Amino acid sequence: MKSTTLKTFFATAALVGVTASSACAADITMNLGFGAPEESLYGRFGKIFEAKAEEYTNGEIDVKLRCCNQISSEDEAFKAMQLGTVDGFFITSNNVSPHWSLMDVTVLPYIFQSAKHLEDVVDGEVGDFMKSALQKDTSVHLLSFGPALYRDFFNSVRPINTMADMDGLKIRVPKNEVMLATFEAFGANPVPLAWSETPTALQTGTVDGGDNGTTFIRDMKFYEFEKHLVVLEHFVAMAPLFASDNFMKKLSDEHREQIIRAATDAGIEMRKQEANKTAEVRQWLVDEGGMVMTTPDKAAFVEAGKKVQNEFAEKRGAEFQGLVAKIQAAAE
């Protein structure tokens, strides 16, 4: 074989090798962030989404999970997605409301009557409308509402058996108007704090307590310095998965459909996994975490919560009122 022929042969072989290698590598990387530990609810949800996204795209999209505020804090992530500097993030619904106030329909106290009621809402007409309207108004894509858990209340001062026991307690509340108004209606003294500041504020006693999804109380080890667990079931905590328009525009139509399908399927699977865990985790917090659990009569809390619902429905206008009415109708 002549020298020039050999050179051509090896050059062609090398090019084929590079092409094959490129085909095996992911074409696009999605950096997906969250503010909690890797083994938290967000981390578990993220792993399911990662596996499905990579399966559905045949590895052409590589999802990299970034826990613990590596790429943004939860309070800043929505704006970062609008700017296109973050690909995707899990953000608790109440932390979306300052950027898009209609999200507060899902934050209203006692708005959901059961797990099925919530699923009917987010999987139906209301959920579809919210995904479309959010993207239109903010450019951010809501890929999946994810699983939903009740937020349980906790504090370091005293057990709560009646609403009168809430009087004067300094309670960490996210920077959300509905949640602040709710705890004021309950008789507490709400203190708005970003999530990133919350663990330190609880541990140092800057605030007396707070509320989180039950598994988060365990995941964040709040039981180590919060003695009293209170089952109020006042808010539902969802773990929505969002993506930036900048990231979604990088995708082909086929990849975009696959990513949305992966998010939808991951949310359904995660919902099934979490469906029966709340009671189990509450018992763990008592038996292993050393917390003392009370289950007060919720009638007074529900009455106060309904007043908050009405207050915000009147204040937020016709579109908000219409969504509240549809959510209420879905329970019937």
Side-chain angles (χ1 to χ4, degrees):
M1 189 179 287
K2 293 182 179 179
S3 175
T4 54
T5 303
L6 285 170
K7 288 179 181 178
T8 302
F9 171 78
F10 286 121
T12 302
L15 179 60
V16 170
V18 168
T19 304
S21 175
S22 298
C24 292
D27 297 327
I28 296 173
T29 296
M30 180 185 189
N31 286 294
L32 177 58
F34 48 100
E38 187 174 352
E39 294 305 317
S40 67
L41 175 75
Y42 289 151
R44 297 192 297 274
F45 186 10
K47 287 175 184 176
I48 297 172
F49 170 70
E50 176 185 18
K52 291 187 181 298
E54 293 177 1
E55 174 191 350
Y56 295 170
T57 65
N58 294 314
E60 292 170 1
I61 295 178
D62 180 19
V63 177
K64 293 189 179 297
L65 301 180
R66 308 295 190 186
C67 76
C68 317
N69 300 316
Q70 288 180 43
I71 59 175
S72 178
S73 69
E74 182 165 327
D75 303 284
E76 300 296 330
F78 196 91
K79 180 60 70 176
M81 283 188 287
Q82 287 182 296
L83 294 172
T85 56
V86 165
D87 296 333
F89 216 90
F90 291 103
I91 306 178
T92 309
S93 300
N94 53 265
N95 286 331
V96 176
S97 303
H99 309 280
W100 192 64
S101 62
L102 282 180
M103 187 61 78
D104 269 340
V105 296
T106 68
V107 181
L108 291 169
Y110 298 108
I111 191 69
F112 297 108
Q113 306 304 306
S114 66
K116 183 182 184 303
H117 178 204
L118 184 140
E119 290 174 13
D120 288 345
V121 169
V122 299
D123 293 343
E125 179 188 353
V126 172
D128 290 343
F129 170 81
M130 292 181 72
K131 288 178 180 180
S132 175
L134 175 77
Q135 202 276 322
K136 178 182 176 182
D137 293 345
T138 70
S139 82
V140 175
H141 297 251
L142 201 174
L143 301 182
S144 171
F145 282 96
L149 301 170
Y150 284 116
R151 291 177 77 101
D152 277 344
F153 178 68
F154 52 86
N155 80 94
S156 60
V157 178
R158 56 178 172 262
I160 305 298
N161 292 299
T162 69
M163 202 161 74
D165 294 327
M166 300 285 286
D167 185 42
L169 290 178
K170 291 183 296 181
I171 304 304
R172 178 269 168 177
V173 177
K175 296 179 179 180
N176 176 281
E177 290 183 3
V178 171
M179 300 177 92
L180 286 164
T182 299
F183 275 100
E184 286 177 353
F186 288 173
N189 179 18
V191 179
L193 282 178
W195 172 248
S196 56
E197 302 171 52
T198 298
T200 299
L202 290 168
Q203 192 166 9
T204 59
T206 303
V207 292
D208 299 321
D211 71 331
N212 282 105
T214 312
T215 57
F216 256 58
I217 301 171
R218 182 186 61 184
D219 294 341
M220 297 301 296
K221 299 184 178 181
F222 288 160
Y223 56 85
E224 292 183 350
F225 36 87
E226 300 293 322
K227 182 178 179 181
H228 301 286
L229 177 68
V230 187
V231 179
L232 292 179
E233 298 180 335
H234 49 303
F235 297 131
V236 168
M238 286 186 280
L241 167 56
F242 298 91
S244 72
D245 195 51
N246 183 58
F247 170 75
M248 296 298 281
K249 283 180 176 176
K250 293 178 183 178
L251 307 182
S252 66
D253 290 344
E254 182 181 15
H255 278 164
R256 196 176 299 114
E257 290 177 3
Q258 290 163 341
I259 285 294
I260 293 171
R261 177 185 161 210
T264 301
D265 290 354
I268 291 169
E269 183 172 330
M270 189 66 184
R271 185 187 292 169
K272 289 177 181 177
Q273 288 185 14
E274 296 296 316
N276 299 314
K277 280 190 177 180
T278 297
E280 176 186 321
V281 174
R282 284 173 180 158
Q283 198 59 49
W284 186 96
L285 289 169
V286 172
D287 295 342
E288 304 295 329
M291 299 185 82
V292 177
M293 182 169 65
T294 57
T295 54
D297 184 337
K298 295 198 289 278
F301 292 97
V302 172
E303 184 179 351
K306 287 183 177 179
K307 289 179 181 177
V308 173
Q309 288 183 28
N310 294 334
E311 173 192 339
F312 278 86
E314 290 177 11
K315 186 163 62 173
R316 293 287 178 84
E319 194 169 40
F320 193 94
Q321 291 168 12
L323 285 176
V324 171
K326 287 181 179 179
I327 291 173
Q328 292 171 337
E332 299 173 355

